[in-house]
Amino acid sequence: MVSSTDKIEKKITIRASQDRVWRAISDSAEFGAWFGMEIDGKFTQGAEIRGRMKPTVADPEVAKRQERYAGSPMAIFIDRIEPRRMFSFRWHPFAIDTSVDYSNEPMTLVTFTLVPTNGSTELTVVESGFDSIPIARRADAFEANEEGWTMVLQLIGKYLQLQKA
């Protein structure tokens, strides 16, 4: 059984087609634009993708808060891609201290799932595996990402609304 400290789950209904939401999460350039990351390369299953934090284009206030992390390196490992339905990757959560080598730590799994609903798309993000993160930083990583995924889902919604304008 997964404990309440091991998994974060967030949902949003976006007024956009499943195809459009899929493109926003599966195209690395679009993902980076709304998430706040400059990504080197394309998302392909099994790939290690590197990039740097970069303020989001979707919300000026969030972009200001992200500015202090601009240029910080990030790496994600693409786990699975099921077109129009599911996209997942692994990463080191809340790995923001550039003086720390996180490479030997376990990673969490982030899964985006899309379900069409009456002309909109329900997007669910689940991040699991926090119980395996070293105890010294587990609570901080969980708390930061609990808050962060709420913000991130709002960002993709705002990004897709901006794209319609």
Side-chain angles (χ1 to χ4, degrees), residues 21 51 56 68 77 124 145:
V21 176
T56 180
R68 68 181 173 168
F77 301 83
T124 302
N145 286 19

Side-chain angles (χ1 to χ4, degrees), residues 56-60 155-165:
T56 180
V57 301
D59 185 303
L155 288 175
I156 189 172
K158 288 178 181 182
Y159 173 79
L160 290 170
Q161 289 305 310
L162 286 171
Q163 298 302 302
K164 288 182 180 180

Side-chain angles (χ1 to χ4, degrees), residues 69-87:
Y69 301 112
S72 296
M74 288 184 68
I76 61 176
F77 301 83
I78 308 303
D79 185 60
R80 285 176 47 202
I81 299 174
E82 295 178 19
R84 301 183 65 235
R85 194 183 88 66
M86 194 270 292
F87 171 71

Side-chain angles (χ1 to χ4, degrees), residues 38-116:
E38 186 173 58
I39 298 171
D40 301 330
K42 299 197 179 303
F43 292 156
T44 55
Q45 194 162 305
E48 175 183 354
I49 305 294
R50 298 212 170 257
R52 289 149 305 288
M53 294 295 296
K54 176 182 175 182
T56 180
V57 301
D59 185 303
E61 287 182 35
V62 173
K64 281 182 197 173
R65 287 187 289 175
Q66 291 176 326
E67 190 64 47
R68 68 181 173 168
Y69 301 112
S72 296
M74 288 184 68
I76 61 176
F77 301 83
I78 308 303
D79 185 60
R80 285 176 47 202
I81 299 174
E82 295 178 19
R84 301 183 65 235
R85 194 183 88 66
M86 194 270 292
F87 171 71
S88 66
F89 61 82
R90 294 187 179 279
W91 70 350
H92 297 286
F94 199 55
I96 60 169
D97 185 344
T98 55
S99 68
V100 174
D101 178 8
Y102 299 98
S103 64
N104 291 320
E105 284 188 9
M107 292 181 273
T108 55
L109 176 66
V110 176
T111 304
F112 293 90
T113 306
L114 287 73
V115 176

Side-chain angles (χ1 to χ4, degrees), residues 14-25 30 34 58 121 123 153-165:
I14 300 173
R15 290 186 184 169
S17 70
Q18 184 178 6
D19 286 337
R20 183 63 191 101
V21 176
W22 174 251
R23 232 177 24 253
I25 66 167
E30 284 203 46
W34 61 264
T121 303
L123 175 61
L153 288 183
Q154 291 170 355
L155 288 175
I156 189 172
K158 288 178 181 182
Y159 173 79
L160 290 170
Q161 289 305 310
L162 286 171
Q163 298 302 302
K164 288 182 180 180

